[in-house]
Amino acid sequence: MPASAPRSRQAPAAVLRFGRVAAMGTVSVLILIAGVWASWGTAQHVMLTKGRERGTVEVARCGGGACSGPYRPVSAGSQARSRVVLADTVAVAEGRTYAVVVKPGGVEAVPSGVAGILYAWVPLGGALLLASVVVAGGLRRTGAAWVLAGSGVALLTAAFATV
């Protein structure tokens, strides 16, 4: 009988440990999936440019969280527009010209090139930072947490430096 006593006390601890790892692992994966999902809405237009309208926009005015200006096409099949809209970020200024990709079926445009790609993936950078906290605290995997945090910081720093 005494030999089974320690075993019976270890079983609930093992179940709780498994539950913690399963729950925190699920939370970490969901955070990363949400980061990719949030980034992909913009990133797909910047990264997969084949068949998309590419050109330049000279920002004429900014206000209400958006900047707009005339669009001049660069790619074949693209049409000139009197007005396209860019998100008003710290990198967009009135009077400057930006290379953009126009989202299909509308007047919305996103910055193109390396700066546009990095800017599109900023939500993933934030998700990597958040997931690193969950991995370190919930899963107690500090090495993996440092890798996630370093990747997030590198992505956000690169986006800040290029934009």
Side-chain angles (χ1 to χ4, degrees):
M1 290 284 217
S4 65
R7 206 177 282 174
S8 65
R9 283 188 221 132
Q10 291 175 351
V15 169
L16 287 174
R17 192 175 18 232
F18 175 76
R20 178 182 51 84
V21 168
M24 292 298 109
T26 301
V27 169
S28 299
V29 169
L30 287 175
I31 290 169
L32 293 174
I33 288 172
V36 170
W37 187 270
S39 297
W40 187 246
T42 301
Q44 66 178 322
H45 303 293
V46 180
M47 295 174 68
L48 307 174
T49 59
K50 185 176 180 183
R52 302 213 192 262
E53 292 185 73
R54 289 174 286 148
T56 60
V57 62
E58 183 179 344
V59 177
R61 81 179 191 99
C62 292
C67 293
S68 61
Y71 169 79
R72 288 176 185 70
V74 173
S75 62
S78 182
Q79 299 175 359
R81 293 177 172 83
S82 61
R83 182 177 172 268
V84 293
V85 178
L86 280 167
D88 186 9
T89 64
V90 294
V92 178
E94 288 184 28
R96 293 195 56 198
T97 302
Y98 300 95
V100 296
V101 176
V102 178
K103 289 185 177 182
V107 296
E108 262 189 272
V110 293
S112 63
V114 175
I117 291 170
L118 289 171
Y119 176 73
W121 289 104
V122 164
L124 177 62
L128 286 166
L129 287 174
L130 182 58
S132 72
V133 174
V134 175
V135 168
L139 295 176
R140 297 194 175 110
R141 303 277 186 221
T142 55
W146 278 110
V147 169
L148 288 171
S151 301
V153 167
L155 178 58
L156 293 173
T157 302
F160 179 77
T162 59
V163 174

